[in-house]
Amino acid sequence: QVQLVESGGGLVQPGGSLKVSCVASGNIFNYTMAWYRQAPGKQRELVAIITSGRSTNYVDSVKGRFTISRDNAKDTVYLQMNSLKPADTAVYYCNKIPVWKPWGQGTQVTVSS
């Protein structure tokens, strides 16, 4: 089974930037990869996707602020987050579509002054 390890989260002030990473233990080359997030008391939501052909799409709430990218040679997916808002506070997870199980542990992103 593939293991997913997310990292790079932290505490950032509103308007700040953060880049989170996700390393997979298996090859991601052929897969559509995605970043998800789960805020306290809410369901996990899909935030951004990147296809094997590097086409991207984003949930409306992050369009123009977040950028998803991938490095297939490193089996790594990134999420660059700019102009962060308190509403972006969540645990961020990566996975493919459809998902591998189990999920990784996620990385906590907290946006607060």
Side-chain angles (χ1 to χ4, degrees):
Q1 69 193 40
V2 175
Q3 292 184 325
L4 299 161
V5 180
E6 298 91 349
S7 63
L11 173 64
V12 62
Q13 292 188 340
S17 297
L18 208 58
K19 186 174 185 177
V20 292
S21 304
C22 169
V23 180
S25 63
N27 196 302
I28 67 169
F29 180 78
N30 288 319
Y31 298 115
T32 292
M33 299 299 296
W35 280 96
Y36 303 76
R37 66 185 179 187
Q38 187 166 19
K42 295 187 176 181
Q43 289 191 334
R44 190 173 294 171
E45 68 167 340
L46 179 63
V47 174
I49 66 170
I50 183 166
T51 69
S52 58
R54 300 181 187 272
S55 295
T56 59
N57 206 351
Y58 302 88
V59 67
D60 284 347
S61 59
V62 308
K63 281 182 181 176
R65 301 188 298 120
F66 289 13
T67 302
I68 188 171
S69 60
R70 65 194 295 161
D71 184 339
N72 291 333
K74 297 181 179 179
D75 294 315
T76 301
V77 185
Y78 305 97
L79 187 67
Q80 175 69 47
M81 302 180 288
N82 299 327
S83 302
L84 282 160
K85 305 174 181 180
D88 296 317
T89 295
V91 179
Y92 284 73
Y93 303 86
C94 78
N95 213 315
K96 73 174 182 71
I97 298 176
V99 301
W100 280 306
K101 291 188 178 180
W103 290 76
Q105 83 290 346
T107 187
Q108 175 71 49
V109 173
T110 302
V111 185
S112 175
S113 55

